[in-house]
Amino acid sequence: MKTGQTLLDRLYNGAVFPAEDIVPNSPEYRAAMNELGGLRDKLEAKLPERAGELLDEYDGAFEDAHRLHLRLTYAEGVRFGVRFMLEALCEGGKLPPLKNKD
């Protein structure tokens, strides 16, 4: 992070893309991805070429749906975090007054 830039500055300038930071790297995840890839290869080998093209289209549509799901999940997580912070800062449902800049 550049010195002096707030998170809001970085978001506004496009320097932050949270999905890039969410990269599962556990042994379980790698094993699951290896299994998925192996099963896809087996399935593709048994399909005629035209069906393989359909499988590629299916993969693309599935990835689009998964990307949308991740975006919505991320947004809900942010909303949850903001609500949590507001509850922690609020007393009786009222925001604390702004401090004077004097």
Side-chain angles (χ1 to χ4, degrees):
M1 172 171 32
K2 291 182 181 177
T3 306
Q5 281 194 336
T6 66
L7 180 57
L8 288 176
D9 289 335
R10 292 173 58 223
L11 281 169
Y12 180 80
N13 294 328
V16 175
F17 184 62
E20 289 176 343
D21 296 332
I22 304 169
V23 181
N25 197 20
S26 69
E28 296 87 2
Y29 180 78
R30 284 192 300 275
M33 291 305 294
N34 287 337
E35 182 180 4
L36 183 62
L39 289 172
R40 191 196 191 287
D41 291 345
K42 287 179 185 177
L43 179 60
E44 190 172 22
K46 294 185 183 243
L47 295 174
E49 187 175 328
R50 293 182 68 185
E53 293 170 5
L54 182 59
L55 182 59
D56 288 339
E57 288 181 40
Y58 171 84
D59 285 344
F62 184 85
E63 285 297 320
D64 289 344
H66 187 242
R67 201 172 297 112
L68 176 61
H69 180 261
L70 289 175
R71 184 181 326 142
L72 295 171
T73 301
Y74 176 78
E76 183 56 31
V78 170
R79 282 190 290 275
F80 175 85
V82 169
R83 284 191 306 262
F84 180 79
M85 289 172 48
L86 287 173
E87 284 185 22
L89 295 173
C90 292
E91 191 172 315
K94 296 181 182 178
L95 289 174
L98 293 175
K99 294 182 180 179
N100 290 335
K101 295 184 180 183
D102 298 334

